[in-house]
Amino acid sequence: MADLKYKIPENVIGDFFTDDQCIACNACIVEAPEFFKMDNDNIYAFVYKQPATTQEIAKCHATIDVCPVNAIGKI
């Protein structure tokens, strides 16, 4: 699981975040594009909007499962 100590600064405040282990594979963006996006240099993904509804939260939880390097975390 992602480590909060290494959280990427672009993540918005909230429960879900990505850390510096992200390899820019795009899996989280495919799974939940309304919450994750790539930085301008396509080096890593980050959370730009936190989920609010139960359905949205479930969608973000699914990104944790698809991340091949466990770079997505939840506080």
Side-chain angles (χ1 to χ4, degrees):
M1 183 174 220
D3 190 331
L4 194 54
K5 291 184 296 192
Y6 303 108
K7 179 180 167 184
I8 291 173
E10 286 88 345
N11 287 292
V12 295
I13 295 172
D15 288 346
F16 289 91
F17 66 95
T18 58
D19 73 5
D20 65 357
Q21 296 302 303
C22 180
I23 59 170
C25 72
N26 216 33
C28 59
I29 295 167
V30 170
E31 188 74 27
E34 58 271 47
F35 304 104
F36 292 84
K37 69 180 177 179
M38 205 61 65
D39 74 301
N40 290 336
D41 296 322
N42 291 316
I43 297 172
Y44 53 80
F46 62 94
V47 178
Y48 73 93
K49 178 184 172 193
Q50 293 288 334
T53 67
T54 303
Q55 187 177 33
E56 291 175 347
I57 292 168
K59 198 167 192 179
C60 285
H61 270 287
T63 64
I64 294 171
D65 295 333
V66 299
C67 181
V69 293
N70 299 314
I72 302 170
K74 181 179 182 300
I75 299 171

